[in-house]
Amino acid sequence: MAFQINTTEVISDSIGLNNIASVDATTAASISAAGVGGGGTHTFTADGAISAGDVVVLNSDGTVSTVTQTTTSASDGSSNAIGGSIYNYWSTACYDANSGNVVGAYQDNGSRVYCAVGTVGTGNTVTWGTQLQVDTSSGTPSLVSIGGGKVVLTYSKSNQGYARVGTVSGTGISFGSAYQFTSYAGNSRCPVAYDVNADKIVILGNIVSSPFGKQCIVGSISGTTLSFGSAVLINSRSLENCDQITYDPVSQKIAIVAQSSNSAVSSYVGTVSGTSITLGSANSFNPGAGGSLRNGALLYDPTSQKILYSYSDDNNSNYATTKVGSISGTTLSFGSGVVWRSASSSNITSVEFTNAGKVAFFAGGYYIGGTVGSTSVTFDSTLNYVGNTVSYPGLAYVPAKNKVVANGANGLFHGVEVFNIEYSSTDNETWIGISTEAISDTATGAITVFTGVNEQQTGLTTGSKYYVAGDGSLATSGSVPIGRALSATKLLIDEGNA
Amino acid sequence: MKTITRNDNNISLFLFADDKVIDLQADRVVIGDPEELIIADCNSSNVTVHENVTEPDDWFGWKYFYDGTTWTLNPDWVDPREE
């Protein structure tokens, strides 16, 4: 006969336990000491000295060690360039996850767009494959990765806007045919974003026929073939340097920032459906009062799931400034600006630095890391300088190397810098348990493992969930859960880490 | 007006209205109440706020030094709007 408490069965006819939400620490310890459930403690050999109460990680040879956190300082270095002469304006770059390489493109001083695939090596180096001339009478390239080893490259050709699909193969790249998406691009960049959900690209460009203005247009991809829907007018101004576009995978919307008057910049949210895009209302947030001299960069940060707009603030002596934004419905709103370089700044751009949960910001040879919060950015304490060796760069982050490739101009020649912002790495995700005693290097000792209760803690808050912090300490928030406090000194390891 | 100057060379970095709240903190400067702008590379150790100043008509960040009394043209200043 089943045993019930308040009509809830807790012991079944088969003498199995049901509906047990929790047990007290004494019971848990008794169960553990009795060897029931496979939890409790296990004996390991230490690799390095371990103190009682330390969280330990399992090494590949079966030994255990304390959690190790390593801080890597910011570093940079000039690397070899793709090509020779360059038109000193914006170049572009993107990361191809399929190959683990970067794709870079630039315009030379003979109005030709070139493209190459680069492999980041040791230190701050990148080795480029043979560069490919994409087109003649062309310029102002913009790249976006669309996955599967493919990229889309936009550029102007005889003042018209064209796009091509590139296929990365090793350190080489080949392009399909060129498809015209607008009859007038001028000499502006035509920024492009990839809507992963809709599997479409969206490009910014110009419309010269009535109604005149800047447009966005949806492109469909089939192999290396592109086709375009109807252009949608953003506003009645021409495409300008601060106009940018990115994709927000959380809201599955396209985010656009575009100058909307002589003294205002506005944000727009686009929803792609089929081969069309619907824009929400313009939301003016006026980061600067200048004209097209102002430049800007729009970035979706996957760590914070926020959208960042970084720009040279014409209202504030052209200082480098970043705002944090988020999409709600069809509105993109930004918080207060954060000045991160109180000096006139240009060539502002940014890229995610995902492994460190940060973003790398770049302005005119200076770079800095920042951690993005809900409405603001906390910047690293040191602004780093790579020198005048790269301007107007496209940035691409290579996660396997924790390096950023800055593909731009070095005066009249193509220039490349490879750098990393300061970041920390930790092996806390490989924790196996908590030591019950002090264990000397190479000695053996007992480690509390899954379902066990470690009693060597101090200052815990009873009932709180605990996580393993990057430095191995226990914290009440984090991304690596381990257990729950039964008292100030006892932690029940209720999270497995197999 | 209020100006924020760097302690190491007295360069005038920012200019704000008299009624603008400037909060010098140990790791940043917060402008406005409620917060309107954060200056991440300035803090209570490396900058000073001067109040009730009369700025030059053509003030621009980095164009002038201010020592608490006198404005002096920065001879190395290049107008970034003309670059």
Side-chain angles (χ1 to χ4, degrees):
Chain A
M1 182 179 72
F3 186 81
Q4 297 181 334
I5 297 177
N6 291 336
T7 71
T8 299
E9 181 182 275
V10 292
I11 301 177
S12 67
D13 288 336
S14 60
I15 319 180
L17 298 178
N18 298 321
N19 301 306
I20 306 295
S22 64
V23 295
D24 65 88
T26 302
T27 305
S30 299
I31 292 172
S32 176
V36 177
T41 63
H42 189 81
T43 300
F44 290 92
T45 300
D47 181 357
I50 297 170
S51 300
D54 279 354
V55 177
V56 297
V57 300
L58 182 64
N59 301 314
S60 59
D61 61 0
T63 62
V64 293
S65 302
T66 54
V67 171
T68 301
Q69 186 174 39
T70 304
T71 298
T72 302
S73 300
S75 71
D76 57 78
S78 295
S79 189
N80 51 320
I82 297 176
S85 69
I86 195 169
Y87 174 65
N88 195 2
Y89 197 56
W90 285 103
S91 295
T92 182
C94 69
Y95 173 65
D96 172 43
N98 199 54
S99 65
N101 291 328
V102 297
V103 182
Y106 71 100
Q107 173 189 353
D108 77 354
N109 64 1
S111 295
R112 295 169 292 239
V113 169
Y114 286 88
C115 189
V117 177
T119 303
V120 172
T122 57
N124 296 308
T125 63
V126 59
T127 302
W128 298 97
T130 304
Q131 65 172 335
L132 174 71
Q133 182 179 309
V134 178
D135 214 330
T136 58
S137 301
S138 55
T140 59
S142 288
L143 276 165
V144 69
S145 172
I146 60 172
K150 294 193 182 302
V151 300
V152 170
L153 174 70
T154 69
Y155 58 94
S156 62
K157 177 179 173 64
S158 302
N159 284 336
Q160 299 169 343
Y162 283 84
R164 301 175 80 160
V165 177
T167 304
V168 177
S169 177
T171 57
I173 188 167
S174 59
F175 282 93
S177 301
Y179 296 88
Q180 184 179 341
F181 61 86
T182 180
S183 59
Y184 181 72
N187 200 28
S188 298
R189 288 182 290 174
C190 291
V192 54
Y194 176 55
D195 184 329
V196 178
N197 180 57
D199 190 25
K200 305 287 184 186
I201 56 169
V202 182
I203 309 174
L204 300 185
N206 283 317
I207 300 175
V208 289
S209 57
S210 181
F212 175 85
K214 63 188 78 177
Q215 65 169 3
C216 54
I217 188 166
V218 175
S220 302
I221 311 148
S222 177
T224 58
T225 301
L226 290 170
S227 57
F228 296 97
S230 300
V232 174
L233 188 71
I234 298 172
N235 62 47
S236 58
R237 296 179 64 93
S238 294
L239 200 60
E240 288 149 303
N241 292 332
C242 63
D243 299 346
Q244 292 290 307
I245 187 169
T246 194
Y247 174 67
D248 177 355
V250 175
S251 64
Q252 298 182 341
K253 304 286 187 186
I254 293 289
I256 297 170
V257 167
Q259 190 157 0
S260 50
S261 75
N262 284 338
S263 59
V265 170
S266 295
S267 60
Y268 305 80
V269 173
T271 306
V272 174
S273 177
T275 59
S276 64
I277 183 169
T278 303
L279 296 181
S281 301
N283 182 28
S284 175
F285 65 98
N286 191 27
S292 58
L293 284 177
R294 178 179 52 245
N295 57 66
L298 198 62
L299 174 74
Y300 172 78
D301 171 33
T303 301
S304 62
Q305 300 184 338
K306 296 291 182 180
I307 295 168
L308 309 180
Y309 187 62
S310 302
Y311 58 99
S312 172
D313 190 349
D314 285 6
N315 271 341
N316 196 15
S317 303
N318 294 12
Y319 293 169
T321 306
T322 294
K323 291 189 173 206
V324 177
S326 56
I327 291 175
S328 176
T330 58
T331 302
L332 170 58
S333 302
F334 288 93
S336 305
V338 182
V339 177
W340 48 274
R341 183 174 179 247
S342 296
S344 178
S345 301
S346 58
N347 309 173
I348 294 175
T349 187
S350 62
V351 69
E352 70 276 11
F353 204 90
T354 315
N355 285 352
K358 299 171 77 172
V359 169
F361 299 84
F362 188 97
Y366 292 87
Y367 67 96
I368 192 170
T371 303
V372 181
S374 58
T375 60
S376 184
V377 181
T378 301
F379 286 92
D380 295 345
S381 56
T382 303
L383 184 68
N384 309 283
Y385 185 49
V386 300
N388 284 324
T389 50
V390 63
S391 56
Y392 297 110
L395 304 183
Y397 169 63
V398 180
K401 302 287 187 177
N402 268 341
K403 291 290 179 182
V404 175
V405 175
N407 168 48
N410 181 2
L412 298 176
F413 297 94
H414 184 249
V416 170
E417 287 279 341
V418 180
F419 68 90
N420 65 270
I421 57 175
E422 180 180 295
Y423 66 92
S424 295
S425 56
T426 175
D427 57 2
N428 64 344
E429 291 184 344
T430 62
W431 69 266
I432 190 70
I434 305 176
S435 181
T436 66
E437 57 187 320
I439 311 172
S440 302
D441 183 25
T442 71
T444 58
I447 303 297
T448 310
V449 295
F450 178 50
T451 72
V453 176
N454 183 273
E455 301 185 1
Q456 283 70 42
Q457 303 301 314
T458 58
L460 301 181
T461 301
T462 303
S464 290
K465 184 77 177 173
Y466 276 86
Y467 302 80
V468 183
D471 61 1
S473 63
L474 296 177
T476 52
S477 63
S479 59
V480 184
I482 185 168
R484 189 174 296 276
L486 304 177
S487 70
T489 58
K490 297 177 182 176
L491 186 82
L492 170 64
I493 300 180
D494 62 0
E495 294 281 346
N497 199 29
Chain B
M1 300 291 280
K2 297 178 180 178
T3 187
I4 298 176
T5 60
R6 278 176 54 155
N7 292 341
D8 58 352
N9 59 7
N10 290 333
I11 200 77
S12 174
L13 296 174
F14 295 89
L15 192 66
F16 296 104
D18 288 322
D19 61 354
K20 189 67 70 180
V21 173
I22 300 177
D23 182 12
L24 292 187
Q25 300 180 3
D27 60 348
R28 62 182 187 165
V29 176
V30 177
I31 308 299
D33 184 15
E35 169 189 296
E36 299 169 8
L37 182 71
I38 296 169
I39 307 170
D41 61 350
C42 296
N43 55 60
S44 56
S45 296
N46 62 17
V47 297
T48 297
V49 177
H50 302 274
E51 299 186 351
N52 302 312
V53 302
T54 302
E55 77 284 8
D57 290 340
D58 58 350
W59 183 94
F60 199 87
W62 286 80
K63 186 172 184 178
Y64 289 95
F65 299 101
Y66 185 72
D67 61 4
T69 305
T70 306
W71 294 92
T72 307
L73 182 66
N74 176 5
D76 298 325
W77 188 74
V78 176
D79 192 338
R81 296 164 294 188
E82 297 174 357
E83 285 184 309

